[in-house]
Every structure is written in C-alpha cells, then in structure tokens.
Amino acid sequence: MNTDRGQVRRPAAADWPIQHGLNRANRDAVPTGGCWAAARSGRCRPADREEAHDALRQRVPACVHCRPDTALGVDG
C-alpha cells in the first residue's frame, strides 16, 4: 500500500496565489507561494505572475509577512 500517492499527485503550490475573502469574490491579499500565512488561510487560488502583479497595481494589499510587492517590483 502506497501512502505517498496523495503527496505525489498533489499539484505544486502556485508561485503567486491570491488570497480571497470569505465570500470568495473579494481579493484580500497577494502573498508569495511559499508564505506560511497564506498556506494556513486555506483561501488562496493559484495565479500567475501577471495576475498577481495586476492585483497589486489594483491596490489589493500585499501580504505583510512575505512582501510580494518587493519581489514583483511594485511600489506600495
């Protein structure tokens, strides 16, 4: 019995997820893919680099823990 099958089939974490609010329509924050706070929230959807960059330009707050705005070169 292979207990690691789920880990093998699990998709990789998105490099630039977007955290959504409880109603799933509002965008709460833009974290990096490795952010511990985003992983704990369970409310992130995968996004590509351009989507994350656009969200930051549209004033979706950057995560205060991992600061993706710095990595993406967006001024707050």
Side-chain angles (χ1 to χ4, degrees):
M1 184 162 137
N2 188 355
T3 58
D4 296 329
R5 188 178 341 178
Q7 292 295 332
V8 171
R9 291 185 178 184
R10 179 172 294 162
D15 288 337
W16 304 102
I18 296 179
Q19 182 174 320
H20 289 263
L22 295 176
N23 68 358
R24 307 292 279 173
N26 296 336
R27 297 180 295 176
D28 287 346
V30 178
T32 61
C35 179
W36 64 269
R40 292 187 66 189
S41 79
R43 296 182 296 165
C44 291
R45 294 184 191 165
D48 61 23
R49 183 181 180 93
E50 190 61 35
E51 289 172 312
H53 196 258
D54 287 343
L56 290 169
R57 280 187 278 168
Q58 295 170 6
R59 301 289 182 204
V60 175
C63 175
V64 298
H65 302 287
C66 61
R67 303 306 308 180
D69 50 342
T70 303
L72 289 169
V74 177
D75 293 329

